[in-house]
Amino acid sequence: MPLICVCSPKGGVGKTTLTANLAYALARSGSKVLALDFDVQNALRLHFGVPLSDERGFVAKAAESSDWSQFVLTAGGNIFVLPYGEASEEQRLFFEERLTNDEHFLIRGLNTLLNYPGLIIVADFPPGPSAALKAMSRLADLHLVIMQADTASLSLLPHVENHRLTGDVLNRKAGHYFVLNQSDNRRQVSRDVTAFMEQKLGNQLLGVIHRDESVIEANASQQSVFDFSPASAAAFDIELIAKRVAGILGVKIGDGTVHSKPKMSGF
């Protein structure tokens, strides 16, 4: 059961979009993939065709249920999503307090999913440090840190290197790697940042995703970039990153097809 955490020290870098498309890419082999949302914005579900009006999620029910698998939605094909859901401030604070003070809280909630044969979990987190990211780091097999090809992201690179995201080493299993998003060859600053990151990070830079309008259009239509524009530059870049992630984790990647049309039901 590989568990991948997707995080970033900065918001607005395309982290949630990449989480969704990475899940689609990993599912192309025929393996079951669960996209898990720990971000209060509750936006990950929208990439899988879950209606905006659907407020279901696991955070609001965390005080009542110790098994979060019952809140998983089927998003079509072999992809599933566990939304954060709509939660009151009281429910959110309870959830974060339990994550911080009960080291078994997360394991209890995810136990069924963590033990589901062959399931790959790709978890999305809010930008910067969070109680969920710190708690999940104990369980994660791999962390992907998403940065953007701009000076703002570049200035935050020390936050990752100095353990400011969790207060400790980010991952003690397969390690942590970086993905540079929205690299734009038309802009000098973007080219310079990309070149610097490639030199600075070396093999820790798992891939570079080039700026591609197909991603924006795919998001608007609630499709993966693979379904919307399979020949696009972004689709190629993300597929390559998925193959590298799979190689690190020992997951087989094939040439299957994932359909994004949803049929909402339990896991």
Side-chain angles (χ1 to χ4, degrees):
M1 187 291 309
L3 171 56
I4 304 160
C5 292
V6 184
C7 58
S8 178
K10 180 180 180 293
V13 299
K15 174 181 53 60
T16 299
T17 296
L18 180 57
T19 300
N21 281 293
L22 180 62
Y24 279 111
L26 290 170
R28 289 162 71 84
S29 64
S31 298
K32 288 188 175 183
V33 180
L34 171 70
L36 171 56
D37 195 357
F38 280 102
D39 194 333
V40 68
Q41 295 184 53
N42 194 28
L44 184 61
R45 64 195 168 114
L46 302 178
H47 293 269
F48 299 96
V50 179
L52 187 63
S53 59
D54 192 332
E55 299 183 347
R56 288 178 292 177
F58 70 100
V59 172
K61 303 293 185 180
E64 306 168 16
S65 175
S66 60
D67 182 6
W68 302 340
S69 66
Q70 62 186 296
F71 308 114
V72 171
L73 306 178
T74 301
N78 53 340
I79 296 185
F80 304 85
V81 58
L82 180 52
Y84 186 98
E86 292 298 318
S88 67
E89 183 70 2
E90 182 180 8
Q91 290 166 334
R92 183 187 65 81
L93 291 175
F94 170 83
F95 183 72
E96 294 185 358
E97 188 274 332
R98 289 291 83 203
L99 285 174
T100 302
N101 297 314
D102 182 352
E103 63 178 322
H104 301 296
F105 177 69
L106 193 62
I107 297 174
R108 287 196 301 269
L110 295 175
N111 185 59
T112 299
L113 299 170
L114 292 173
N115 288 287
Y116 194 94
L119 182 68
I120 301 170
I121 300 178
V122 185
D124 185 34
F125 295 85
S130 69
L133 181 61
K134 185 172 183 177
M136 187 64 103
S137 291
R138 308 183 192 112
L139 305 176
D141 295 286
L142 177 74
H143 278 73
L144 286 183
V145 183
I146 314 305
M147 310 291 278
Q148 206 165 25
D150 58 20
T151 53
S153 286
L154 185 60
S155 68
L156 291 174
L157 190 56
H159 285 229
V160 182
E161 297 173 331
N162 297 331
H163 312 313
R164 295 185 188 177
L165 282 178
T166 62
D168 197 357
V169 174
L170 200 53
N171 188 280
R172 296 185 182 277
K173 294 182 182 178
H176 73 276
Y177 294 84
F178 293 83
V179 171
L180 193 61
N181 196 23
Q182 297 188 29
S183 179
D184 191 344
N185 291 330
R186 300 168 298 179
R187 299 178 61 240
Q188 183 64 47
V189 170
S190 185
R191 293 199 302 270
D192 290 345
V193 170
T194 300
F196 177 84
M197 289 286 203
E198 288 173 337
Q199 183 178 21
K200 170 75 173 176
L201 298 173
N203 291 335
Q204 264 197 298
L205 182 59
L206 210 59
V208 176
I209 302 172
H210 293 86
R211 184 174 178 84
D212 189 339
E213 295 302 318
S214 295
V215 176
I216 298 173
E217 295 175 27
N219 288 348
S221 61
Q222 290 190 308
Q223 296 182 58
S224 74
V225 70
F226 303 104
D227 287 331
F228 183 82
S229 184
S232 63
F236 177 85
D237 294 337
I238 297 169
E239 183 78 17
L240 183 58
I241 290 167
K243 288 180 178 179
R244 289 173 176 169
V245 167
I248 293 169
L249 297 176
V251 177
K252 183 179 179 181
I253 289 289
D255 297 316
T257 302
V258 177
H259 301 285
S260 59
K261 184 176 288 187
K263 57 171 185 176
M264 295 300 141
S265 63
F267 184 70

